[in-house]
């Protein structure tokens, strides 16, 4: 171990004036058996830094053929290894001027060890969770009602099972399960088969009609009482939770207010599912007639669900669900331009909104599409040569 | 799919380490491994400039607060028994996980060309 005299001699040989220096020197040496494989460095943003400091864990998730992601409780990050041409040394007891010894009487030495070194580090970049797989997994075993026997117990998933398969944080996963109207039955998640879900909804809307209730004030207790003979009460309540908002009135009774947009949208989906194309005006008529009394249908409710062809005569509407499109940005654009050569901004935005944050669709279009003007409107088409 | 846990110590805050960034490589003088050997002396001028004397070189650097702190992770391996419900034989399964040992929030970076220390200056006759 170096002594004060040796350090001072070195300074002398180096022709450095000891008076210009702080009288504390850190003598650095390498730890016994030090090697570059001992430690990994991972870059953190402010959120993750606080997260780690409070003792919370992170999980890396990925399959052999996938890019690894890192998840906190509510966010997902892409994980990449970045190389640096510089050498990075880790010194646990290393000090800078702000925490160097206060005792300035005489020259002091602190012996510090280099614990490890590296020339690469893990780089994290926040990204969208990869949730498309979730619907695919749950479709393996849809809930169709109690009369259908459950035979495929091998394809049932708990939350923890799903986290083993999906590259997402737990909160993002639970949010998506809610979006898919999945319900947890005995700890296992199921999505409802569409016709069954519509059947539940129509039981509710028919009851609303029969009882002349406002669709904003559906009494839970009576609803369960009347419909409980037709379907399990949990399913009725689940349907109310998916399509409405729960509240308690002044007397402490539980009511539900159906969400007009959600109900109209679901009914449109079940109508459009059965045809490839619908004559737009015929569709609008049938659609309005199919929704509960007092609800108003509007084409805006169908963003990301249906596409209107204004160029065909008569105008037509067909089902196109954003969640059925590719998850990868470039593939999504290729797919959209394969469906239609030129898109107006209003038509394409609902189908790319999920790829970026709210105000960035413009930037995405600039990057992945070419714009031109057609009949005074700005339209977008593919940057690539599309083979017809 | 694989799930690898990165855990932080539960009852203590992770240590606060320092990072030193150097250009180039460090080699041991006698071609032995670096383990256990002296690296150099780190001084600070009264103005706070870090000066590193390593081998025959003087390096001048600066202290930088990291925009994105680093977590220092140590790889660990834990033996886990497969739960008794599995049909396989009672093998032990090794699962890898990482532990956050420390956080690095600042570094000393030496970017300038090292100044050589000349020790044998021939005396003028």
């Amino acid at each position: 171990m170096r002594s004060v005299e040796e350090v001072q001699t070195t300074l002398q040989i180096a022709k450095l004036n000891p008076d210009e220096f702080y009288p504390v020197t850190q003598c650095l040496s390498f730890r016994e058996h030090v090697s570059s494989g001992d430690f990994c460095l991972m870059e953190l943003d402010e959120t993750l830094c606080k997260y780690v400091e409070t003792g919370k864990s992170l999980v890396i998730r990925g399959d052999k053929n996938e890019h690894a992601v890192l998840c906190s409780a509510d966010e997902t990050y892409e994980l990449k290894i970045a190389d640096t041409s510089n050498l990075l040394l880790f010194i646990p007891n290393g000090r800078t001027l702000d925490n160097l010894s206060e005792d300035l009487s005489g020259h002091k030495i602190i012996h510090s060890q280099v614990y490890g070194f590296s020339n690469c580090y893990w780089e994290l970049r926040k990204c969208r969770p990869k949730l498309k797989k979730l619907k695919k997994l749950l479709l393996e075993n849809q809930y169709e009602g109690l009369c259908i026997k459950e035979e495929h117990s091998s394809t049932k998933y708990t939350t923890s099972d799903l986290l083993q398969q999906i590259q997402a944080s737990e909160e993002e996963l639970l949010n998506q399960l809610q979006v898919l109207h999945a319900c947890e039955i005995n700890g296992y998640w199921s999505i409802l088969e569409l016709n069954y879900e519509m059947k539940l909804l129509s039981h509710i809307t028919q009851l609303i009609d029969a009882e002349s209730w406002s669709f904003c004030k559906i009494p839970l207790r009576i609803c369960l009482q009347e419909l409980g003979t037709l379907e399990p009460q949990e399913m009725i309540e689940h349907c109310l939770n998916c399509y409405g908002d729960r509240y308690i009135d002044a007397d402490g009774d539980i009511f539900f207010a159906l969400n007009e947009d959600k109900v109209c949208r679901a009914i449109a989906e079940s109508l459009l599912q059965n045809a490839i194309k619908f004559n737009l005006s015929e569709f609008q008529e049938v659609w309005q007639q199919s929704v509960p009394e007092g609800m108003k249908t509007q084409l805006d409710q169908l963003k990301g669900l249906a596409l209107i062809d204004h160029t065909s005569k008569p105008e037509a509407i067909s089902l196109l669900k954003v969640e059925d499109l590719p998850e990868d940005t470039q593939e999504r654009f290729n797919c959209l331009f394969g469906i239609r050569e030129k898109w107006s901004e209003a038509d394409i935005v609902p189908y790319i909104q999920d790829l970026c944050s709210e105000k960035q669709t413009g930037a995405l279009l600039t990057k992945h599409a070419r714009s031109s003007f057609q009949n005074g409107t700005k339209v977008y088409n593919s940057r690539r040569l599309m083979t017809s | 799919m694989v799930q690898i846990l990165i855990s932080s110590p539960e009852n203590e805050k992770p240590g606060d380490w320092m990072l030193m960034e150097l250009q180039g490589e460090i080699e041991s003088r006698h071609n032995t491994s670096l383990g256990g050997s002296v690296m150099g002396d780190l001084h600070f001028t009264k103005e706070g400039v870090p000066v590193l004397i390593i081998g025959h070189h003087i390096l001048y650097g600066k202290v930088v607060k990291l925009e994105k702190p680093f977590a220092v992770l140590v790889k660990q391996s834990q033996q886990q028994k497969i739960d008794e419900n599995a049909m396989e034989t009672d093998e032990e399964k090794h699962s890898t996980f990482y532990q956050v040992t420390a956080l690095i929030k600042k570094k000393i970076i030496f970017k300038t060309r090292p100044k050589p220390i000349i020790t044998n200056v021939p005396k003028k006759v």
Side-chain angles (χ1 to χ4, degrees):
Chain A
M1 294 242 275
R2 284 171 69 72
S3 64
V4 178
E5 292 73 34
E6 284 171 307
V7 169
Q8 288 178 334
T9 308
T10 305
L11 274 175
Q12 216 173 41
I13 295 174
K15 300 205 177 60
L16 294 170
N17 181 358
D19 290 336
E20 288 172 13
F21 292 95
Y22 210 74
V24 182
T25 304
Q26 292 174 82
C27 291
L28 305 171
S29 57
F30 287 98
R31 184 172 65 109
E32 206 66 58
H33 309 304
V34 71
S35 89
S36 66
D38 300 330
F39 299 97
C40 298
L41 282 181
M42 181 169 76
E43 208 178 50
L44 303 170
D45 64 13
E46 212 181 297
T47 317
L48 281 177
C49 194
K50 290 203 187 98
Y51 198 83
V52 163
E53 278 177 315
T54 50
K56 302 203 183 96
S57 335
L58 300 164
V59 184
I60 299 173
R61 298 194 162 108
D63 229 328
K64 269 175 274 190
N65 57 349
E66 289 169 325
H67 290 300
V69 299
L70 181 95
C71 301
S72 62
D74 59 352
E75 301 227 352
T76 303
Y77 298 79
E78 246 170 36
L79 184 67
K80 287 199 175 141
I81 300 188
D83 286 314
T84 161
S85 54
N86 292 349
L87 187 61
L88 306 170
L89 303 166
F90 326 133
I91 305 170
N93 294 325
R95 297 172 203 211
T96 52
L97 217 53
D98 51 354
N99 59 344
L100 222 40
S101 167
E102 299 262 317
D103 182 3
L104 304 180
S105 59
H107 195 164
K108 299 243 171 341
I109 298 211
I110 299 175
H111 294 279
S112 295
Q113 283 194 325
V114 174
Y115 255 45
F117 58 91
S118 181
N119 52 15
C120 67
Y121 58 91
W122 297 2
E123 209 174 45
L124 298 176
R125 200 166 60 119
K126 221 191 292 202
C127 67
R128 284 178 282 131
K130 316 238 186 295
L131 294 165
K132 200 170 150 82
K133 198 174 168 187
L134 179 61
K135 190 172 176 185
K136 189 168 149 236
L137 290 178
L138 294 178
L139 281 176
E140 287 171 16
N141 189 17
Q142 294 177 81
Y143 184 85
E144 294 172 43
L146 276 184
C147 52
I148 313 288
K149 285 218 176 91
E150 286 171 43
E151 281 161 13
H152 351 267
S153 49
S154 55
T155 52
K156 284 184 354 193
Y157 302 95
T158 60
T159 307
S160 155
D161 292 333
L162 290 172
L163 285 171
Q164 297 232 47
Q165 302 255 12
I166 308 281
Q167 289 184 298
S169 67
E170 186 164 345
E171 189 173 299
E172 288 163 326
L173 179 73
L174 292 173
N175 280 342
Q176 186 66 5
L177 284 166
Q178 209 176 44
V179 165
L180 292 173
H181 294 172
C183 57
E184 209 176 356
I185 305 169
N186 296 329
Y188 294 100
W189 288 97
S190 276
I191 49 175
L192 273 47
E193 200 260 314
L194 184 66
N195 288 335
Y196 180 70
E197 190 168 318
M198 290 299 107
K199 191 162 79 160
L200 287 171
L201 187 60
S202 82
H203 282 319
I204 293 169
T205 55
Q206 280 170 28
L207 185 64
I208 294 173
D209 268 345
E211 300 281 334
S212 298
W213 289 331
S214 147
F215 68 78
C216 298
K217 200 166 182 183
I218 306 168
L220 176 64
R221 195 180 46 83
I222 304 176
C223 200
L224 292 180
Q225 207 179 312
E226 295 298 312
L227 300 176
T229 51
L230 300 169
E231 295 296 338
Q233 290 198 351
E234 309 83 65
M235 287 295 125
I236 306 283
E237 194 165 347
H238 173 72
C239 189
L240 284 167
N241 275 314
C242 292
Y243 288 98
D245 301 304
R246 185 191 173 100
Y247 65 95
I248 301 182
D249 78 347
D251 297 323
D253 295 319
I254 304 174
F255 288 87
F256 276 88
L258 282 187
N259 181 308
E260 190 171 8
D261 290 342
K262 285 186 186 174
V263 173
C264 290
R265 193 183 164 97
I267 290 174
E269 184 177 346
S270 70
L271 289 172
L272 290 168
Q273 241 205 351
N274 299 316
I276 298 181
K277 250 189 212 180
F278 239 105
N279 172 312
L280 181 63
S281 50
E282 278 174 21
F283 166 79
Q284 283 181 292
E285 222 183 284
V286 174
W287 186 30
Q288 181 61 70
Q289 285 166 10
S290 312
V291 301
E293 182 93 29
M295 286 196 181
K296 194 166 179 305
T297 57
Q298 287 172 60
L299 289 174
D300 264 357
Q301 291 160 341
L302 306 182
K303 286 198 172 139
L305 178 72
L307 193 57
I308 298 171
D309 188 355
H310 296 287
T311 62
S312 70
K313 289 176 171 52
E315 286 179 310
I317 183 168
S318 52
L319 192 68
L320 180 63
K321 289 167 71 171
V322 65
E323 64 246 37
D324 292 339
L325 300 176
E327 205 169 23
D328 168 78
T329 304
Q330 187 60 64
E331 282 176 41
R332 171 80 60 94
F333 274 96
N334 293 348
C335 180
L336 288 171
F337 290 124
I339 292 168
R340 187 187 270 189
E341 203 189 320
K342 290 185 163 56
W343 290 73
S344 71
E345 188 164 352
D347 281 348
I348 202 171
V349 163
Y351 292 101
I352 57 172
Q353 187 67 81
D354 62 313
L355 299 174
C356 60
S357 56
E358 242 182 84
K359 300 201 174 127
Q360 290 179 340
T361 48
L364 213 58
L365 283 166
T366 306
K367 187 171 176 195
H368 293 275
R370 193 174 284 136
S371 65
S372 57
F373 277 89
Q374 198 178 57
N375 300 330
T377 331
K378 193 174 191 187
V379 289
Y380 293 92
N381 58 309
S382 178
R383 278 182 176 274
R384 300 169 155 208
L385 276 171
M386 300 294 295
T387 50
S388 46
Chain B
M1 192 180 83
V2 165
Q3 285 197 97
I4 300 175
L5 189 69
I6 299 177
S7 66
S8 308
E10 261 174 50
N11 299 316
E12 4 146 3
K13 253 180 114 165
D16 199 5
W17 288 11
M18 189 176 84
L19 187 74
M20 189 179 282
E21 189 170 337
L22 301 170
Q23 287 181 330
E25 288 173 15
I26 296 186
E27 270 174 11
S28 166
R29 192 178 303 190
H30 308 291
N31 259 351
T32 52
S33 72
L34 294 171
S37 41
V38 162
M39 188 191 124
D41 297 339
L42 177 64
H43 302 272
F44 279 92
T45 66
K46 289 189 173 149
E47 283 91 28
V49 176
V51 178
L52 182 67
I53 304 180
I54 177 169
H56 289 295
H57 305 283
I58 307 173
L59 298 153
Y60 291 86
K62 64 176 180 174
V63 178
V64 174
K65 184 176 166 200
L66 291 176
E67 210 181 280
K68 285 196 177 172
F70 282 116
V72 183
L73 306 178
V74 175
K75 200 167 174 181
Q76 317 264 31
S77 183
Q78 199 181 55
Q79 289 188 329
Q80 246 180 22
K81 284 206 158 92
I82 297 180
D83 72 298
E84 290 99 46
N85 292 330
M87 297 295 276
E88 288 99 324
T89 55
D90 193 9
E91 293 169 350
E92 288 197 343
K93 197 167 143 186
H94 291 266
S95 71
T96 306
F97 69 99
Y98 290 88
Q99 208 159 46
V100 175
T101 296
L103 289 175
I104 297 176
K105 296 186 180 171
K106 62 187 175 202
K107 69 179 179 188
I108 300 183
I109 177 163
F110 293 94
K111 274 201 293 207
T112 58
R113 261 187 101 179
K115 207 172 133 191
I117 300 171
I118 302 159
T119 48
N120 288 330
V121 182
K123 287 206 171 99
K124 276 190 182 160
V125 176

